[in-house]
């Protein structure tokens, strides 16, 4: 039993959404996780997607985001890029996804990381390896886009805490986390600074 699972958005996103709700203006948030945590997607089953006993034994927090997708491990080698914006109604998720992903890929190119492409529903891919994943949370007239960029991820923790996902994009081809995940290398703080420009 996973009684320790908490619900809520990734730290900092509530502030972005509230700021957009009040001002009507888009907000950008860049953050680096201070420690290791496992984040469940809105509909994720921890007993299917995680190695729960290892998470508990290692004292790794398990939290649930309000956006979709499968479970992920966050660590200080990740950069979380979040955007909140006013968006009328509740629909058009696919078009918002595509536009925000193009914006992020363009920002990465300007920051010195060219060649990133969009594959699957929400993956950022560099040389056939996943270097980022994204999700969207939709509320009436508001949208939160959040993407995790794998700068220097601890892939061994993905292997330790995550099961093979119950669904995967075609380009994964059944590969293990270690075979499938890449990184852009460098310093998360430096990348954050370049993306803010």
């Amino acid at each position: 039993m996973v009684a320790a699972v908490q619900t809520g958005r990734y730290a900092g996103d509530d502030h972005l959404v509230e700021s957009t709700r009040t001002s009507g203006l888009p907000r950008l948030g860049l953050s680096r996780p201070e420690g290791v945590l496992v984040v469940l997607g809105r509909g994720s089953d921890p007993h299917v997607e995680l190695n729960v006993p290892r998470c508990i034994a290692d004292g790794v927090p398990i939290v649930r985001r309000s956006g979709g997708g499968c479970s992920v491990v966050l660590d200080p080698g990740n950069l979380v890029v979040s955007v909140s914006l006013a968006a009328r109604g509740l629909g058009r998720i696919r078009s918002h996804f595509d536009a925000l992903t193009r914006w992020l890929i363009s920002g990465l190119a300007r920051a010195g990381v060219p060649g990133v492409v969009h594959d699957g529903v929400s993956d950022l891919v560099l040389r056939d390896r996943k270097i980022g994943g994204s999700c969207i949370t939709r509320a009436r007239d508001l949208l939160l886009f959040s993407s995790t960029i794998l700068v220097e991820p601890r892939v061994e923790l993905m292997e330790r805490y995550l099961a093979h996902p119950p669904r995967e994009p075609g380009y994964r081809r059944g590969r293990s986390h270690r075979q499938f995940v890449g990184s852009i290398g460098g310093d998360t703080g430096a990348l954050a600074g370049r993306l803010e420009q």
Side-chain angles (χ1 to χ4, degrees):
M1 192 58 72
V2 189
V5 172
Q6 304 168 4
T7 58
R9 291 185 183 93
Y10 182 78
D13 290 350
D14 286 339
H15 171 73
L16 294 177
V17 170
E18 200 49 48
S19 179
T20 295
R21 190 185 309 277
T22 302
S23 69
L25 298 174
R27 296 291 185 224
L28 170 66
L30 300 168
S31 61
R32 175 184 172 191
E34 293 183 4
V36 176
L37 67 158
V38 171
V39 183
L40 295 162
R42 179 179 57 240
S44 294
D45 181 344
H47 301 290
V48 171
E49 297 187 18
L50 306 183
N51 187 319
V52 174
R54 287 181 181 168
C55 294
I56 292 172
D58 293 352
V60 173
I62 301 171
V63 297
R64 189 180 292 278
R65 66 179 178 267
S66 52
C70 291
S71 300
V72 299
V73 174
L74 295 185
D75 69 64
N78 303 155
L79 178 66
V80 179
V81 180
S82 298
V83 176
S84 64
L85 50 87
R88 294 186 63 182
L90 288 169
R92 298 182 52 228
I93 288 178
R94 181 77 260 166
S95 62
H96 288 299
F97 234 138
D98 291 345
L100 286 161
T101 300
R102 284 193 304 272
W103 165 82
L104 184 53
I105 288 171
S106 177
L108 287 168
R110 287 192 309 274
V113 187
V116 177
V117 297
H118 178 192
D119 205 333
V121 173
S122 61
D123 287 358
L124 299 174
V125 180
L126 184 62
R127 295 185 290 277
D128 200 40
R129 297 255 187 149
K130 179 177 179 176
I131 55 95
S134 307
C135 68
I136 279 183
T137 302
R138 197 75 166 92
R140 183 167 297 280
D141 298 331
L142 286 168
L143 181 144
L144 175 68
F145 170 85
S146 187
S147 185
T148 302
I149 309 298
L150 305 177
V151 182
E152 288 289 354
R154 294 183 59 190
V155 180
E156 75 276 8
L157 298 182
M158 298 178 195
E159 297 272 335
R160 180 164 178 79
Y161 300 133
L162 301 180
H164 194 89
R167 56 191 182 279
E168 62 180 55
Y171 82 97
R172 181 167 184 156
R173 301 186 301 278
R175 288 180 286 175
S176 70
H177 298 299
R178 191 174 297 278
Q179 295 168 325
F180 174 60
V181 170
S183 69
I184 63 173
D187 176 78
T188 53
L191 177 62
R194 292 197 297 270
L195 285 173
E196 282 183 314
Q197 296 173 354

